[in-house]
Amino acid sequence: MPEPATAQSLIDLNALLDNPVFAGGFGLASLGAAVAFGRKGVLIAAGMIRRRMLVGVEISREDPAYPWILAWLSQPRPQETFLAKRLTRINKLSVSTSTITTPNGPTRADFLLQPGYGSHIIKHKNAYISVSRQKQTTAKMATGEPHETIELTTLYAHRHIFEDVFTEARAIAMQANQGKTAVYSVRSFEWVPLGEPKRKRPLGSVVLDEGVKEGIVADVRDFLTRQNWYDERGIPYRRGYLLYGPPGSGKSSFIQALAGELDYSVSMVNLSEMGVTDDKLAFLLTKLPKRTILLLEDVDAAFVNRRARSADGYNGATVTFSGLLNALDGLSAGEERIAFLTTNHIELLDPALIRPGRVDMMVRVGEATRYQAAQMWDRFYGDVDQDSSGRERFLARLQQLGLFDEEAKDGSAPPRTSTAAIQGLFLFNKNDMEGAINMAEGLIPPKVEQDQ
Ligand SMILES: Nc1ncnc2c1ncn2[C@@H]1O[C@H](COP(=O)(O)OP(=O)(O)OP(=O)(O)O)[C@@H](O)[C@H]1O
Ligand SMILES: [Mg+2]
């Protein structure tokens, strides 16, 4: 009978332990195991403490609250106590720069220091909050930008502080945007803010022909009160406007000012831009920001079937007519939508565009009329031209130049000027109304040889 295996193994084990080389190795290994075990224990314990005693909230970069929280974090918070001072010192900052172009003024750059990536501790009221700002290793498909999160953690006992934090952060964001109009444009398949929100443009600063502005504003305001009316009739709650006319007549400016007046943002796509395809347009229209005016610039681009290839082989705009219609009729039914379409070439558009919900109202925004010239004069020189005699001489001069004629003497088309050109003339002669009158001839556009 063989000896029991256990006794044999015991002897072997003793012999092995007598071997100093093996014993050393074994000792190290068990030490390692103990450390690993210990560390695991600590981790588990930390995890338990975390779960029981801490609460966290994670904000992803995609969330609208992300920039608010960043702005809130950048607020200076002087700490009184020695401990708070040491604990909350942030050693890593990142900078966020925004440039602001003031109308008729220089561009100003503002710097905002924010907590950088990594972990920081801040003290808010009586709670310590750990802030961890992380860039993830995964990236957004559309833009290739890495995902980013901020995680705020505090003691369970202080969990209510988060409500406070978010309320404050939102208030800061609201205040920063007060009196401003945000403009979104398209990057890849997303609406992204086009720079910082701009100061609201007063409606009064856009001078359209008599009654035109008032007509559109009244229509939009009326539309905004009628959601129920649309819902009851099962009609998608949408309204479309087409503004057409020559360049520099104030179409885009008016839409910007209207958005400001209604406290809406503007979401802008230029259809003549490269890379705007049917699919993309349809997709973007289903995920418009809230409270926004959709602005489709240069819609005639969708009606030009064959455009000359540019030197680099690109075809330019790629939106088709049916693509535009599909996008306008798209799936986001039930959602409020106000769309403004603009074009310089009404003659290229297809009548199918003029359907309820696509385009309900068409407005020509044309060359400067006498009414507009007078209004613009008053806006620029009203305070120095108290008796309006300067304005009358200016208007008489434009009349003499034939700018308001129905028809030129020889039966041809009379010269016309744009409101943009008048604005340019006035800006050039900022404090000098005589200069503006003397230079009025410059408003007549140079004759271009028409080749068709
Ligand atoms: N009717 C107007 N009232 C006030 N400013 C105007 C008016 N028309 C043009 N301007 C000024 O001229 C510039 C160009 O105007 P805007 O971009 O609004 O023209 P537009 O009609 O959109 O031209 P385009 O067809 O080329 O897009 C702006 O600086 C704007 O302030
Ligand atoms: Mg424009």
Side-chain angles (χ1 to χ4, degrees), residues 363-414:
V363 181
R364 180 174 149 82
V365 180
E367 293 88 353
T369 61
R370 187 187 181 90
Y371 173 85
Q372 284 167 290
Q375 290 252 315
M376 291 179 79
W377 178 277
D378 286 346
R379 285 195 66 84
F380 271 83
Y381 303 115
D383 44 352
V384 285
D385 184 28
Q386 305 244 334
D387 61 356
S388 305
S389 61
R391 184 184 71 199
E392 291 318 308
R393 279 187 292 129
F394 177 67
L395 293 176
R397 179 75 183 120
L398 299 199
Q399 184 89 54
Q400 188 187 23
L401 291 166
L403 286 170
F404 305 137
D405 288 354
E406 292 281 312
E407 204 176 81
K409 293 186 184 69
D410 58 2
S412 65

Side-chain angles (χ1 to χ4, degrees), residues 377 381 384 426 428-438:
W377 178 277
Y381 303 115
V384 285
F426 291 171
F428 191 81
N429 297 284
K430 238 182 231 142
N431 299 312
D432 175 13
M433 60 177 191
E434 294 306 326
I437 299 171
N438 292 335

